[in-house]
Amino acid sequence: MGRDGGRGPQLPLKGTDLGASFGGLDGSRPHPRRGLPFAATWWSFIFPLGACVTGTSALAARTGSQLFVWIAVVLYALFVAAWAVVARHSLRHAVRQRERARR
């Protein structure tokens, strides 16, 4: 560990982490208005958000910063909400596919 207590590049990279995690959402923002059809690829939004939550939580624990604690809490709430939306659509899609297969 250096003079920075091992915190070195974590803080400057946090902005890059958040930008990369939410940058992909910007391209999909207009589509729900037009009815973006469900696809299994919706789960691909969950992993980066989960990684961002984990990284922010670790950074909060390492630095002791209350700001990062609250950011982690908000990101976790977004993660749970996104997971619930995708899980609901996945289950609905699976039920519809099963009904089609019975016909």
Side-chain angles (χ1 to χ4, degrees):
M1 277 195 236
R3 289 182 287 158
D4 61 0
R7 296 185 188 128
Q10 291 175 341
L11 293 176
L13 292 177
K14 192 64 194 166
T16 304
D17 178 33
L18 291 172
S21 295
F22 295 107
L25 295 176
D26 188 48
S28 63
R29 188 178 57 219
H31 299 292
R33 292 185 203 122
R34 288 183 268 154
L36 181 65
F38 174 77
T41 56
W42 280 25
W43 285 104
S44 66
F45 287 109
I46 301 301
F47 176 77
L49 186 54
C52 189
V53 169
T54 303
T56 305
S57 299
L59 187 58
R62 180 78 173 175
T63 63
S65 169
Q66 286 300 305
L67 174 65
F68 285 122
V69 168
W70 285 107
I71 291 172
V73 168
V74 169
L75 289 174
Y76 183 73
L78 289 172
F79 172 76
V80 170
W83 193 95
V85 167
V86 175
R88 184 178 68 98
H89 282 284
S90 294
L91 290 173
R92 188 171 57 176
H93 183 72
V95 168
R96 285 182 182 166
Q97 291 300 321
R98 188 171 184 179
E99 289 173 358
R100 286 183 192 164
R102 287 183 180 173
R103 290 182 202 167

